[in-house]
Amino acid sequence: MRPARALIDLQALRHNYQLAREVSGVRALAVIKADAYGHGAVRCAQALEACADGFAVACIEEALELRAAGIRAPVLLLEGFFEAAELALIVEHDFWCVVHSLWQLEAIEQTAVAKPLTVWLKLDSGMHRVGLHPKDYQVAYQRLQASGKVETIVLMSHFARADELDCPRSSEQVAVFEAARQGLGAQISLRNSPAVMGWPSIPSDWVRPGIMLYGSTPFEENNPVAARLQQVMTLESKVICVRELPAGEPVGYGAKFITDKPMRIGVVAMGYADGYPRHAPTGTPVLVAGQRSRLLGRVSMDMLCVDLTDVPQAGLGSTVELWGKNILASDVALAADTIPYQLFCNLRRVPLVYSEG
Ligand SMILES: *Cc1c(COP(=O)(O)O)cnc(C)c1O
């Protein structure tokens, strides 16, 4: 069988979740949208359920998958409902629901619900994606309360630039949030992973860690919390062919790499159809037979080439780590001009193999 696979360390996932709780000191919704950033939402939720305060997903389809698998913990729909008809399911399955737009507020007012809802009322504090305008926020809160259909309201907002530690924008967003929520005695939730890891003084009754659960840092610079994260996913495969080439020979599509000396090349069963980034350039780090080496030439659909010239112990069948405990996904992302979020979410075709550490 094809040797490409993604090993998922569930013990590391729990460690990272506990770390998010420890450094924030408050309750944490584990963000497992987009199939837990490619790690498998059901298995991740099962692994976390005993310790997690709840989960957050993008939409009701993802939330229903968790309930179908027997997850009973709170599940927040980060975009709320896309049409009012979802409210019946939200009530039936006890989902928590973001309200980010006035049309959602109106839908709640106009729909009969069998049980009162838990609503996370989202403010646009400056990211300008979704969220209520500050001038509408207090009125929306009052209307939700007056509707008689809401039992709990949590006040939330989301940061656009919390991964930039020297940028004043996050503090400005907090100021907008504080002004908008003045006088409202409700719990609040502001912090995503970069804010949990890099902005300890920003208040939050609930944090919403995503990428840090999977062991990746959102920061380019060193961070003390990042140093304590454990990588959850190891994407690995094997060398399926070894070639010895003289100097001056092209490797792969487009001859994007040409040997500059006699070289040993390993062909690895991993390509962009597995989610490995096609635009990762020559030099992107890989681990071959336990030693750091580099990608060579263009990534193809099912294969890529690595440099074995200085890895004499490597040969046919050697294990290659594309990212994981040794080669950080964030370093591969940096080399490929993307972010670890996208590397994880793009993963496909590769079987996920779970372990407890
Ligand atoms: C995805 C998401 C998060 C998690 O973000 P990370 O950067 O992965 O920690 C938190 N809150 C909201 C609203 C989100 O959409």
Side-chain angles (χ1 to χ4, degrees), residues 31 33 37 78 122 156 158 192-194 208-211 341:
V31 179
K33 62 191 178 192
Y37 296 37
L78 286 170
K122 187 164 186 175
M156 74 177 289
H158 193 53
N192 53 358
S193 296
R208 308 187 306 268
I211 195 69
Y341 300 73

Side-chain angles (χ1 to χ4, degrees), residues 29 31 33 37 56-57 76 78-79 98 122 129 156-159 189-196 207-214 218 341:
L29 287 188
V31 179
K33 62 191 178 192
Y37 296 37
V57 296
L76 175 66
L78 286 170
E79 284 154 51
V98 165
K122 187 164 186 175
R129 193 177 56 178
M156 74 177 289
S157 193
H158 193 53
F159 293 116
S189 175
L190 293 178
R191 293 160 71 195
N192 53 358
S193 296
V196 168
V207 293
R208 308 187 306 268
I211 195 69
M212 69 177 291
L213 298 179
Y214 310 102
Y341 300 73

